């Protein structure tokens, strides 16, 4: 793959991290509203559990994207070195 490919991939991955953080924020706001408007204690507890589960899923996705960014940076550095040697 080329250096340009990895540069573009880095930009795309960083944009994906931003999108995932925004999605997490939206989900948290949505669940906060559901919790606030819930009528029974059991539904509030259920919404709280869902909010925690969804936030954890977003966190896992963000961490995965960050690891992918680091791998891409390493690969980009290797490609640049390889290009220099040519």
């Amino acid at each position: 793959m080329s250096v340009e490919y990895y540069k573009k991939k880095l930009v795309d991955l960083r944009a994906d991290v931003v999108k995932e953080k925004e999605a997490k924020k939206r989900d948290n706001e949505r669940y906060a509203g559901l919790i606030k408007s819930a009528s029974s204690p059991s539904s509030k507890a259920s919404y709280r559990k869902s909010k925690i589960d969804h936030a954890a899923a977003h966190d896992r996705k963000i961490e995965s994207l960050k690891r992918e960014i680091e791998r891409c940076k390493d690969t980009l550095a290797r490609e640049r070195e390889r290009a220099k040697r040519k």
Side-chain angles (χ1 to χ4, degrees):
M1 301 277 179
S2 68
V3 172
E4 291 79 22
Y5 168 81
Y6 289 108
K7 285 181 181 180
K8 183 183 179 322
K9 188 172 179 180
L10 270 176
V11 170
D12 292 343
L13 287 169
R14 288 180 179 136
D16 289 345
V17 169
V18 170
K19 286 178 191 172
E20 192 65 29
K21 286 180 179 181
E22 290 170 356
K24 179 182 176 184
K25 185 177 178 181
R26 276 194 311 274
D27 278 356
N28 280 342
E29 290 171 355
R30 185 169 56 89
Y31 278 107
L34 289 170
I35 291 167
K36 190 172 185 175
S37 66
S39 57
S40 69
S42 64
S43 63
K44 277 190 180 198
S46 174
Y47 287 138
R48 282 190 183 109
K49 183 182 181 320
S50 293
K51 181 180 177 183
I52 291 168
D53 291 343
H54 282 90
H58 285 295
D59 289 339
R60 285 190 302 273
K61 178 70 174 171
I62 290 167
E63 289 305 313
S64 171
L65 288 168
K66 285 180 180 179
R67 285 192 302 274
E68 184 68 25
I69 287 171
E70 290 304 314
R71 280 193 296 272
C72 191
K73 283 181 183 178
D74 293 343
T75 306
L76 179 60
R78 281 195 303 274
E79 285 295 318
R80 283 183 174 150
E81 283 298 317
R82 194 170 66 85
K84 281 182 186 176
R85 282 184 254 149
K86 285 187 174 179

